[in-house]
Amino acid sequence: MQIGFVVYGVILVLFLLFFPGGQRKVLSTMKALGTHRKFKIAQVVVTSVGILVPGTVIGTVAGMLLWQRVISALAKSVGAAVTLEMDIVTLVMVALGQLTLAFVLTALLAFPMTRDRGIAKRM
């Protein structure tokens, strides 16, 4: 489980570095057109949702499908007879928690990305 959380953390950090960061060109175009800041924040968050939701659904389904294989391989590698059952409700709750965390971090990242700076702001 700890490995899963570490992998999720690494994937989330990579997502936050590359996807919203790649929106800078779109945001600068929106700024040049005079778009209000709330629409720029919405741009970052809504486009991120298009990646986060399918990724969470695919990850949850893959986790459900691969659960027994992973547990069997782990038990075989240590020479033990382990039977662990997956609780689907718990898996879905963890997935929703991870999705919520990703949404919050993306929204928090959108605020400094959309801040207007420079002389034009002061005038």
Side-chain angles (χ1 to χ4, degrees), residues 17-104:
L17 285 174
F18 292 115
F19 189 75
Q23 301 262 342
R24 294 196 191 278
K25 186 174 181 179
V26 172
L27 292 174
S28 61
T29 302
M30 291 176 79
K31 180 181 177 181
L33 294 172
T35 306
H36 195 272
R37 185 176 183 200
K38 66 181 177 183
F39 294 114
K40 292 187 277 187
I41 292 171
Q43 166 69 25
V44 173
V45 174
V46 170
T47 56
S48 296
V49 168
I51 300 287
L52 292 173
V53 171
T56 301
V57 170
I58 291 169
T60 303
V61 170
M64 287 192 286
L65 295 175
L66 296 174
W67 176 263
Q68 194 58 43
R69 282 188 182 171
V70 171
I71 295 302
S72 297
L74 288 173
K76 188 176 182 180
S77 71
V78 296
V82 178
T83 56
L84 294 174
E85 292 189 23
M86 175 183 47
D87 181 19
I88 294 176
V89 174
T90 302
L91 181 65
V92 169
M93 294 304 289
V94 168
L96 289 175
Q98 291 174 337
L99 184 61
T100 303
L101 174 66
F103 283 153
V104 168

